[in-house]
Amino acid sequence: MERSTRVSVFESDKPSEIQLIKSKLDDAQITNSVENSYLTFTTTPTATSLKVMVNLEDEKNAFEIIDAYLQQSENQ
């Protein structure tokens, strides 16, 4: 089985925002997963940062979808 490289394309501490990005990537048929990690300095030890991860081959398309979403949400 071939092992693929996974990269982070979006990070947030807001689960609702992560879910929205995840669903947009799902709609575009880009395989993705969510990982969480503890934030360090300047935050409480219980704060977590959520990351949306995709295969390296899908990184460019994922960034295009995320950029379009961010531009749309800024204009509202």
Side-chain angles (χ1 to χ4, degrees):
M1 188 170 125
E2 199 175 304
R3 185 162 158 77
S4 59
T5 302
R6 312 271 298 154
V7 294
S8 172
V9 291
F10 188 78
E11 290 185 37
S12 177
D13 58 355
K14 298 177 189 155
S16 58
E17 195 171 39
I18 290 289
Q19 196 56 46
L20 190 66
I21 294 295
K22 185 171 177 21
S23 68
K24 289 190 175 296
L25 295 177
D26 287 341
D27 290 347
Q29 298 181 336
I30 295 175
T31 303
N32 62 82
S33 62
V34 176
E35 292 182 3
N36 66 351
S37 57
Y38 286 104
L39 296 174
T40 53
F41 65 95
T42 73
T43 61
T44 60
T46 56
T48 58
S49 174
L50 299 167
K51 296 179 182 181
V52 178
M53 308 290 288
V54 301
N55 290 330
L56 185 59
E57 308 85 59
D58 295 326
E59 181 181 31
K60 183 179 181 289
N61 289 340
F63 276 130
E64 288 172 2
I65 290 164
I66 293 165
D67 285 345
Y69 159 72
L70 292 174
Q71 287 176 3
Q72 179 185 4
S73 64
E74 277 181 13
N75 293 334
Q76 289 181 350

